[in-house]
Amino acid sequence: MKTHLNVRTAQSMVLTPQLLQSIRLLQLSALELELVVEQAL
């Protein structure tokens, strides 16, 4: 059981940075879109 839990935690640790990067990219794209809209107006 302990080894199974360790594997799960290891997988979550690997997935977390990827999720953070995707969130950061989404935030950056949103800010860029706002800048484009402001410039267009």
Side-chain angles (χ1 to χ4, degrees), residues 9-33:
T9 53
Q11 288 177 349
S12 65
M13 290 293 291
V14 171
L15 290 174
T16 300
Q18 293 177 354
L19 291 174
L20 288 175
Q21 284 182 354
S22 63
I23 292 172
R24 288 178 183 175
L25 288 175
L26 287 173
Q27 289 178 346
L28 287 175
S29 63
L31 290 173
E32 287 176 357
L33 285 174

